[in-house]
Amino acid sequence: MTTHHSPLTSNTSHLLVTGGAGFIGANFVNYWLNNYPDDRVVVLDALTYAGNLASLEPAKNNPNFHFVHGDICNQELAERLLRDESIDTIVHFAAESHVDRSIHGPDTFIQTNIVGTHSLLKAAKSVWLDSHSSLLRPQSSVLKPYRFHHVSTDEVYGSLGPEDPPFTEHTPYAPNSPYSASKAASDHLVRAYHHTHDLNITTSNCSNNYGPYQFPEKLIPLFIINILEGKPLPVYGDGLNIRDWLYVEDHCKGIDLILQKGRPGEVYNIGGNCEKTNLEMVETLCKNMDERKPSSSLTSYSSLLTFVKDRPGHDRRYAIDSSKIKKELGFEPYESFETGIRKTIDWYLQNESWWRAVMDGSYREWLDRQYGQKHN
Ligand code: NAD
Ligand code: DAU
């Protein structure tokens, strides 16, 4: 990374990536160390059920990578890391991310997504703006070397009708699930810390990601694995809900552009320009798997499709207008839907040990070794 340098140490960046053991966070860490090998990347992750150290295997032996097991709600820990590691950039992924879980158990969503984000904001303000470190950098409102990038979701905008135009950065917030309401609250806190304290902040609101290392509770990995195991494919409601899909590495590239060229205080929508109904998605997955790994007993995996009770409050349609990030920062998704899905299926076919360890629980062994059986 060439345009965003640490003010304290050298001309490389020192990133704190929260939630770096999760799906997008791990892809981001692996992407970053590949593309900016001289930068330092510190991951802060609580290793909830969604965190998986195996997803950081490519980074494990890199001397510029450091993993810290901890909670973003621990402000003191965050402050210590910002100081000790001379962090100049926070990329904040850590969250409870699954809508279905937020319906049945919303408390952790409030705690991590709202309280945790606020705790990190307070840590950044304290270390970057209030404390001695401000003496080490020029006191100029033009030079803003520190950056807090907040990773958020298109779900904060609510649900679209079939004829509505896609979400822009000016679409009013209308979150419908406890998950999206907690993300919306975090977006507002982030915005307020920029407005009130002049903290150098950017936010991205992105559409549905897919790709390697996604926890198999989400539609695409769940259905790929169910196909491989000959299990039913539970489609909620009539299957006509629409999502906009983006390959995860393209999301990482969008965040990279925002870190390098994004304007302080700005919000950028990131999407794949790829609206699909859930039924179209399931058919694509089945067709690809029929070609790649035909079933010995079924004519097509599509016979596994089963309609089940709808998700309560299920948003009908998301669609993203990405023209701002395209025009201002030159963002363009690299993967098409066809190439992205193919790569994703290939990855799950080639990395059976990764998802088998998730399914049988052995991906938690590191925690068991560290803390015995008492951990969360
Ligand atoms: P994920 O659930 O796969 O990973 C979340 C990570 O955060 C896990 O490693 C978990 O251990 C960690 N974490 C949870 N609570 C924590 C806490 N209190 N302290 C420290 N770490 C904690 O999530 P994801 O799908 O990778 O999403 C990452 C971010 O991107 C989230 O903020 C989400 O809202 C946002 N987002 C996701 C998508 C998507 O399609 N997955 C789309 C747009 C935005
Ligand atoms: O839009 C961005 C959001 O995308 C992110 O903010 C969330 O963190 C991420 O989880 C995702 O939310 P969704 O609810 O859209 O993703 P999920 O994979 O859970 O569901 C995708 C669609 O598929 C949705 O319409 C519900 C449907 N679905 C999902 C599952 C798990 C099914 O029909 N059956 C299922 O078993």
Side-chain angles (χ1 to χ4, degrees), residues 8 14-18 40-45 66-72 74-90 120 123 127-128:
L8 299 177
H14 291 201
L15 283 73
L16 178 68
V17 179
T18 71
R40 175 134 177 104
V41 175
V42 179
V43 165
L44 173 61
D45 197 297
H66 179 44
F67 178 80
V68 178
H69 180 221
D71 194 318
I72 55 164
N74 183 345
Q75 185 183 337
E76 197 237 308
L77 170 63
E79 287 188 22
R80 199 165 65 236
L81 287 175
L82 293 180
R83 278 202 192 87
D84 292 356
E85 294 280 357
S86 302
I87 298 293
D88 51 68
T89 305
I90 297 174
L120 265 186
V127 174
W128 288 346

Side-chain angles (χ1 to χ4, degrees), residues 97 153-155 179 208 217 219 234 236 243 278 311 314:
S97 69
T153 170
D154 60 359
E155 299 198 10
Y179 162 69
N208 285 57
E217 63 188 349
L219 181 75
Y236 299 160
R243 296 292 181 266
N278 292 336
R311 170 188 280 175
H314 197 175

Side-chain angles (χ1 to χ4, degrees), residues 214-227:
Q214 187 166 29
F215 195 83
E217 63 188 349
K218 309 281 165 55
L219 181 75
I220 291 183
L222 175 72
F223 279 31
I224 293 174
I225 291 169
N226 280 9
I227 287 172

Side-chain angles (χ1 to χ4, degrees), residues 284-295:
T284 303
L285 293 175
C286 291
K287 193 162 163 278
N288 266 273
M289 293 294 283
D290 285 338
E291 285 163 18
R292 218 89 53 86
K293 217 173 177 343
S295 163

Side-chain angles (χ1 to χ4, degrees), residues 114-288:
I114 306 178
V115 178
T117 299
H118 188 229
S119 170
L120 265 186
L121 287 166
K122 287 190 289 177
K125 174 179 175 293
S126 163
V127 174
W128 288 346
L129 302 183
D130 300 341
S131 68
H132 70 283
S133 64
S134 58
L135 300 175
L136 298 174
R137 68 192 179 99
Q139 292 300 292
S140 151
S141 60
V142 184
L143 275 181
K144 291 171 189 271
Y146 303 111
R147 170 68 65 84
F148 186 120
H149 181 71
H150 176 57
V151 180
S152 193
T153 170
D154 60 359
E155 299 198 10
V156 297
Y157 299 121
S159 184
L160 294 167
E163 304 302 328
D164 289 335
F167 302 129
T168 73
E169 290 79 2
H170 300 292
T171 302
Y173 273 34
N176 287 319
S177 69
Y179 162 69
S180 53
S182 68
K183 291 298 289 186
S186 69
D187 293 8
H188 292 321
L189 285 166
V190 165
R191 181 183 180 280
Y193 268 66
H194 172 71
H195 187 82
T196 304
H197 301 297
D198 203 21
L199 195 58
N200 182 1
I201 273 165
T202 42
T203 296
S204 49
N205 293 89
C206 188
S207 60
N208 285 57
N209 285 217
Y210 65 101
Y213 304 118
Q214 187 166 29
F215 195 83
E217 63 188 349
K218 309 281 165 55
L219 181 75
I220 291 183
L222 175 72
F223 279 31
I224 293 174
I225 291 169
N226 280 9
I227 287 172
L228 287 169
E229 302 209 311
K231 291 184 183 159
L233 308 175
V235 173
Y236 299 160
D238 61 7
L240 296 179
N241 302 69
I242 292 173
R243 296 292 181 266
D244 170 55
W245 294 96
L246 180 70
Y247 190 68
V248 63
E249 196 171 326
D250 283 323
H251 186 185
C252 297
K253 287 177 183 158
I255 295 172
D256 184 352
L257 284 171
I258 296 171
L259 291 175
Q260 299 217 36
K261 302 197 280 185
R263 289 181 290 132
E266 290 295 314
V267 173
Y268 296 90
N269 280 356
I270 310 180
N273 204 13
C274 177
E275 286 184 59
K276 302 282 169 209
T277 65
N278 292 336
L279 280 180
E280 284 169 333
M281 176 57 84
V282 179
E283 273 154 22
T284 303
L285 293 175
C286 291
K287 193 162 163 278
N288 266 273

